[in-house]
C-alpha cells in the first residue's frame, strides 16, 4: 500500500517551535505523517515539487463571517473600494434595482459614511434611484443600515412616519417627524424583520461561495462569529443546518468552527434550585441535549457562544469611557451604548460559562471592555473553570490596565489587523488625538504574554490574510498615515497569530495551526517568502496554492 503525497522542495515555516523549518512534508489520510526525509519518496503515490516556494500552515481566520462573505458576493457591493462617493453608491443601487424583479427587495452592504462625507445615504436619496423597490443597505459594521421609503412601507411605516426605535437602538427623524432612513443597532429590526427570511439552502449557497473565495486567499479554517440571531447576527434559527447542508453537498471547503449566538441558548432548568441556594448563583444556559463548545469534528464544530456587548467604533456606537470626538449631525456627549443591559449580559455570559461553554463577547469600546472583564472575572470566581479561554472579540480600544486584566484572567482578545488600514482614519476621527493611541493594539497584547489569534471580521474589511499581515506589520491607514506605530509586530508574530494563535483561540491547537506529524495537512504555498520580502511589499505576496487535508483546494502545483 502506498502513502498519499510527498510535498518536496518547499521552504516550510512549520510554526512548530521544536522544528521550525522543513523542506518536505509527507501526507496520508489528510494528516502529516513525516517531515523532511523521514520517509522515502518511493513510499508515496504522488510526489509534488513545490519549486522552492515558501509554505506556511493554512491561514485560520479567527473571526470571519463566512456566510456574509458569501452573501456579499450576491448583493450590491457598497464598500468604499467599490463605491468611493455617494454618487457612485447611488448609481450601484440603481443598477441593482433595475436588475431586480418588480417588487423584490434590493439589498446592499459595506458602505462606510466616513468615505461619504460623513453622511449616511438617506431614504430620499435612495427613493430617487430605487424604481419602487424596497431597499435595505447594511453599513460595513453591520450595526446599522439605511432603508428607503418603500422598505419602511413594507415594514408598516407608510411615509416613514411613527418609527419608534426600541431600546438599544436609534431611528433618527427629520423636522417633520419622518425617519431619515438610518436605523441603528436594535432599530435595524424595524425594517429587517420585513425582509423575507433566509432559508437553509440560501445559507448553504453563501457558505459555498464564501469558502471558495477564502480558499483563493489561503484561508483553510475560519471561526464564524455568530449564527442564529437574525436581528443581531447570522440569518435564521437554522443557520447551522445551512452549514451542515453545505458540508453534505461538498460546498463547505474551509474548516468551520461556528458560534451560536447567545440568545439561541436557554435556561437549563436549574433556576429554582439556584434561587434556593442563595444570591450570586446564575442558572446554566445551554442548547438542547447539552450540546456545547467542541461538539462536532474537524470540518464543522461548535465554537464559543457569541454575544454582542456594544456596537461599532467607526459607526460611533461602541460604548466608550469618554465622549467621541464631536462631529456635526451628532448630539454632544456621545459615548455609544451597550446592546444589552449589563445585568442581562452577566446572566447570559455566566450562565453559559457555568454550562461549560467557551464564551466570546464582542467588545469594541473601553467602557464595554470593563463591563465584560468584570463579568468574566465574576464567572471564574463563582464557577472556576481552568483553561476556559473566553474571548473578547475586537478589543478596539483598550488601556494598559485593561490589557493586564485580559492577560491575568486568561482571556483571549481577538484583534483585526486589517481595520488599521481600512478603518483607521475613521477610528482616529472618532477617538480624537488624545485617545487614538488606545486603538487596535496588538503588540501590547503579545507583550502581556497572550497567545493572540489573527482575524479579519470579513466582509467588514478584506478577508485577505496577506493584506492583514501587511497591516499588522506596517500599521498605516488607507490615507498613508502611521497608525500607532509602536503597536507594530513582526511577520513571524503575525503568521503565528494567523495559524497557532487562531487554533488555540478555539481549543484546536493540538491538531491544527502547525506542521508536524499528526497535524492536519492544511498549508499554503506563497508566490514569495513573506519572511524575507521588504515589509512594505508583504501585501503584494499572493497565494500560489492552498492545500486542505493534503489535497490541492486552490491553485496549481507541479505533480
Ligand atoms: Zn464580526
Amino acid at each position: 500500500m502506498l502513502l498519499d503525497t510527498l510535498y518536496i522542495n518547499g521552504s516550510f515555516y512549520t510554526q512548530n517551535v521544536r522544528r521550525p523549518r522543513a523542506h518536505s512534508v509527507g501526507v496520508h489520510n489528510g494528516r502529516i505523517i513525516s517531515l523532511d526525509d523521514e520517509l522515502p519518496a518511493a513510499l508515496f503515490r504522488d510526489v509534488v515539487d513545490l519549486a522552492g516556494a515558501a509554505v506556511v500552515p493554512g491561514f485560520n481566520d479567527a473571526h470571519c463571517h463566512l456566510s456574509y462573505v458569501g452573501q456579499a458576493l450576491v448583493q450590491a457591493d457598497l464598500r468604499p473600494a467599490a463605491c468611493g462617493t455617494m454618487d457612485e453608491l447611488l448609481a450601484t443601487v440603481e443598477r441593482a434595482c433595475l436588475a431586480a424583479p418588480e417588487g423584490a427587495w434590493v439589498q446592499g452592504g459595506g458602505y462606510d459614511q466616513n468615505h461619504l462625507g460623513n453622511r449616511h445615504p438617506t431614504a430620499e436619496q435612495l427613493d430617487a434611484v430605487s424604481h419602487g423597490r424596497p431597499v435595505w443597505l447594511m453599513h460595513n459594521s453591520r450595526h446599522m443600515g439605511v432603508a428607503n421609503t418603500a422598505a419602511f412601507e413594507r415594514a408598516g411605516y407608510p411615509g416613514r412616519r411613527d418609527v419608534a426605535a426600541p431600546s438599544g437602538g436609534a431611528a433618527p427623524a427629520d423636522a417633520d417627524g419622518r425617519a431619515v432612513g438610518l436605523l441603528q443597532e436594535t432599530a435595524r429590526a424595524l425594517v429587517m424583520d420585513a425582509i423575507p427570511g433566509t432559508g437553509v439552502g440560501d445559507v448553504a449557497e453563501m457558505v459555498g461561495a464564501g469558502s471558495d473565495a477564502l480558499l483563493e486567499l489561503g484561508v483553510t479554517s475560519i471561526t464564524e462569529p455568530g449564527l442564529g440571531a437574525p436581528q443581531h447576527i447570522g440569518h435564521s434559527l437554522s443557520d447551522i443546518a445551512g452549514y451542515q447542508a453545505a458540508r453534505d453537498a461538498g460546498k463547505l471547503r474551509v474548516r468551520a468552527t461556528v458560534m451560536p449566538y447567545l440568545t439561541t441558548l436557554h435556561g437549563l432548568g436549574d433556576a429554582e434550585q439556584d434561587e434556593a441556594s442563595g444570591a450570586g448563583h446564575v442558572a446554566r444556559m445551554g442548547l438542547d441535549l447539552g450540546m456545547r463548545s467542541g461538539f462536532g469534528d474537524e470540518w464543522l464544530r461548535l465554537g464559543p457562544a457569541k454575544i454582542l456587548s456594544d456596537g461599532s467604533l467607526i459607526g460611533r456606537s461602541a460604548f466608550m469611557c469618554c465622549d467621541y470626538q464631536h462631529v456635526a449631525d451628532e448630539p454632544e456627549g456621545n459615548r455609544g451604548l451597550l446592546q444589552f443591559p449589563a445585568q442581562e449580559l452577566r446572566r447570559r455570559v455566566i450562565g453559559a460559562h457555568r454550562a461549560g461553554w467557551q464564551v466570546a463577547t464582542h467588545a469594541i469600546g473601553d467602557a464595554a471592555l470593563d463591563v465584560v472583564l468584570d463579568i468574566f472575572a465574576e464567572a471564574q470566581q463563582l464557577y472556576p473553570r481552568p483553561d476556559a479561554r473566553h474571548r473578547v472579540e475586537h478589543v478596539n480600544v483598550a488601556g494598559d490596565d485593561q490589557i493586564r486584566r485580559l492577560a491575568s484572567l486568561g482571556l483571549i482578545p481577538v484583534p483585526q489587523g486589517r481595520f488599521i488600514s481600512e478603518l483607521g482614519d475613521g477610528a482616529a476621527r472618532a477617538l480624537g488625538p488624545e485617545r487614538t493611541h488606545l486603538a487596535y493594539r496588538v503588540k501590547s497584547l503579545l507583550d502581556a504574554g497572550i497567545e493572540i489569534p489573527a482575524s479579519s471580521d470579513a466582509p467588514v474589511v478584506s478577508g485577505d490574510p496577506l493584506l492583514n499581515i501587511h497591516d499588522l506589520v506596517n500599521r498605516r491607514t488607507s490615507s498613508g498615515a502611521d497608525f500607532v506605530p509602536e503597536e507594530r509586530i513582526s511577520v513571524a508574530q503575525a503568521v503565528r497569530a494567523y495559524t497557532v494563535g487562531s487554533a488555540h483561540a478555539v481549543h484546536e491547537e493540538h491538531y491544527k495551526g502547525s506542521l508536524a506529524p499528526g497535524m492536519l495537512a492544511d498549508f499554503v504555498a506563497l508566490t514569495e517568502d513573506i519572511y524575507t520580502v521588504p515589509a512594505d511589499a508583504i501585501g503584494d505576496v499572493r497565494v500560489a496554492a492552498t492545500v486542505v487535508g493534503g489535497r490541492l483546494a486552490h491553485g496549481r502545483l507541479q505533480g
Side-chain angles (χ1 to χ4, degrees):
M1 188 202 78
L2 289 175
L3 302 169
D4 287 345
T5 311
L6 182 65
Y7 290 89
I8 61 164
N9 195 19
S11 176
F12 288 89
Y13 291 88
T14 67
Q15 310 305 316
N16 178 346
V17 283
R18 282 190 298 275
R19 197 161 166 187
R21 303 299 309 276
H23 60 75
S24 300
V25 162
V27 172
H28 189 63
N29 278 341
R31 302 247 172 187
I32 293 169
I33 53 163
S34 63
L35 292 181
D36 294 329
D37 305 316
E38 286 165 355
L39 294 176
L43 289 181
F44 291 88
R45 191 175 52 242
D46 296 315
V47 176
V48 174
D49 188 342
L50 294 166
V55 184
V56 294
F59 294 117
N60 182 342
D61 192 330
H63 185 122
C64 173
H65 300 270
L66 171 63
S67 53
Y68 292 151
V69 169
Q71 188 181 41
L73 296 170
V74 299
Q75 290 188 349
D77 181 1
L78 308 178
R79 288 170 305 142
C83 301
T85 64
M86 187 68 84
D87 284 345
E88 284 171 22
L89 180 146
L90 293 171
T92 300
V93 172
E94 179 153 37
R95 274 195 303 278
C97 288
L98 289 171
E102 189 98 25
W105 281 83
V106 172
Q107 297 190 65
Y111 85 86
D112 175 0
Q113 86 285 4
N114 286 286
H115 292 261
L116 302 170
N118 289 318
R119 288 179 192 281
H120 296 265
T122 64
E124 254 169 52
Q125 285 174 307
L126 297 176
D127 290 346
V129 297
S130 53
H131 302 269
R133 269 79 164 175
V135 173
W136 171 250
L137 308 182
M138 189 77 94
H139 187 258
N140 74 339
S141 68
R142 304 193 66 86
H143 286 265
M144 59 200 75
V146 292
N148 69 350
T149 304
F152 278 101
E153 250 147 39
R154 292 279 182 99
Y157 302 101
R160 292 180 271 123
R161 297 200 174 275
D162 307 315
V163 180
S167 78
D174 62 19
D176 297 334
R178 291 155 61 94
V180 296
L182 178 66
L183 295 172
Q184 292 173 292
E185 306 300 339
T186 56
R188 291 168 307 173
L190 297 178
V191 162
M192 289 180 74
D193 278 355
I195 303 174
T198 310
V200 168
D202 299 322
V203 174
E205 287 301 318
M206 294 175 196
V207 165
S211 41
D212 286 350
L214 291 175
L215 283 175
E216 289 179 24
L217 302 173
V219 175
T220 59
S221 289
I222 59 104
T223 296
E224 160 87 63
L227 291 174
Q231 266 79 345
H232 287 280
I233 199 160
H235 309 276
S236 78
L237 282 171
S238 301
D239 278 338
I240 291 179
Y243 265 80
Q244 215 165 352
R247 185 180 179 187
D248 290 347
K251 291 176 180 164
L252 176 64
R253 298 178 68 218
V254 299
R255 303 179 193 276
T257 296
V258 300
M259 300 192 194
Y261 196 67
L262 239 164
T263 53
T264 65
L265 276 54
H266 56 81
L268 291 181
D270 38 17
E272 277 171 46
Q273 178 198 321
D274 276 337
E275 238 147 82
S277 60
H281 286 244
V282 182
R284 292 180 306 135
M285 300 282 294
L287 293 177
D288 291 323
L289 303 177
M291 280 196 295
R292 61 172 172 79
S293 309
F295 184 82
D297 63 16
E298 63 204 30
W299 272 100
L300 179 58
R301 63 192 278 279
L302 285 176
K306 168 76 182 291
I307 194 161
L308 296 171
S309 68
D310 65 346
S312 141
L313 171 54
I314 59 155
R316 311 167 72 90
S317 59
F319 185 40
M320 295 292 175
C321 296
C322 306
D323 295 353
Y324 284 93
Q325 182 167 254
H326 187 253
V327 289
D329 294 356
E330 188 180 83
E332 292 279 354
N334 175 27
R335 291 189 175 192
L337 69 168
L338 282 181
Q339 299 237 343
F340 296 91
Q343 270 311 310
E344 195 189 335
L345 261 179
R346 172 187 175 277
R347 180 181 68 81
R348 289 183 185 273
V349 170
I350 299 179
H353 164 85
R354 203 187 149 201
W357 285 87
Q358 185 184 12
V359 180
T361 307
H362 164 119
I364 287 200
D366 47 2
L369 182 56
D370 273 337
V371 170
V372 166
L373 287 167
D374 286 348
I375 291 171
F376 282 131
E378 190 189 354
Q380 286 290 7
Q381 205 180 1
L382 288 172
Y383 310 104
R385 243 181 74 200
D387 205 23
R389 300 191 201 175
H390 295 314
R391 305 174 23 146
V392 186
E393 309 297 304
H394 309 302
V395 192
N396 281 179
V397 182
D400 292 342
D401 289 345
Q402 292 179 311
I403 289 175
R404 274 192 288 276
R405 248 188 119 196
L406 278 165
S408 72
L409 289 168
L411 298 172
I412 299 178
V414 184
Q416 291 78 35
R418 188 65 187 164
F419 280 13
I420 297 162
S421 62
E422 293 194 35
L423 309 180
D425 290 323
R429 263 198 302 280
L431 290 168
E434 241 126 77
R435 281 171 46 81
T436 295
H437 70 282
L438 301 174
Y440 305 146
R441 301 177 74 181
V442 181
K443 179 165 185 293
S444 298
L445 301 174
L446 288 172
D447 290 347
I450 300 171
E451 180 84 79
I452 58 161
S455 69
S456 67
D457 206 8
V460 173
V461 298
S462 166
D464 185 334
L466 292 158
L467 296 181
N468 196 330
I469 292 169
H470 182 97
D471 282 354
L472 288 165
V473 172
N474 291 287
R475 293 189 71 95
R476 271 190 279 279
T477 69
S478 52
S479 71
D482 276 340
F483 192 95
V484 201
E486 59 271 28
E487 294 287 341
R488 284 180 184 139
I489 64 172
S490 69
V491 171
Q493 288 170 320
V495 173
R496 181 178 170 91
Y498 240 120
T499 53
V500 177
S502 293
H504 173 265
V506 280
H507 297 270
E508 291 188 275
E509 74 280 10
H510 52 292
Y511 62 90
K512 195 192 280 186
S514 57
L515 304 177
M519 305 293 280
L520 293 173
D522 297 353
F523 48 83
V524 178
L526 303 171
T527 55
E528 280 176 277
D529 187 339
I530 43 172
Y531 286 81
T532 57
V533 296
D536 60 6
I538 295 168
D540 299 328
V541 177
R542 295 291 86 204
V543 167
T546 307
V547 172
V548 184
R551 295 209 181 124
L552 185 66
H554 159 75
R556 206 177 278 241
L557 291 171
Q558 294 156 16

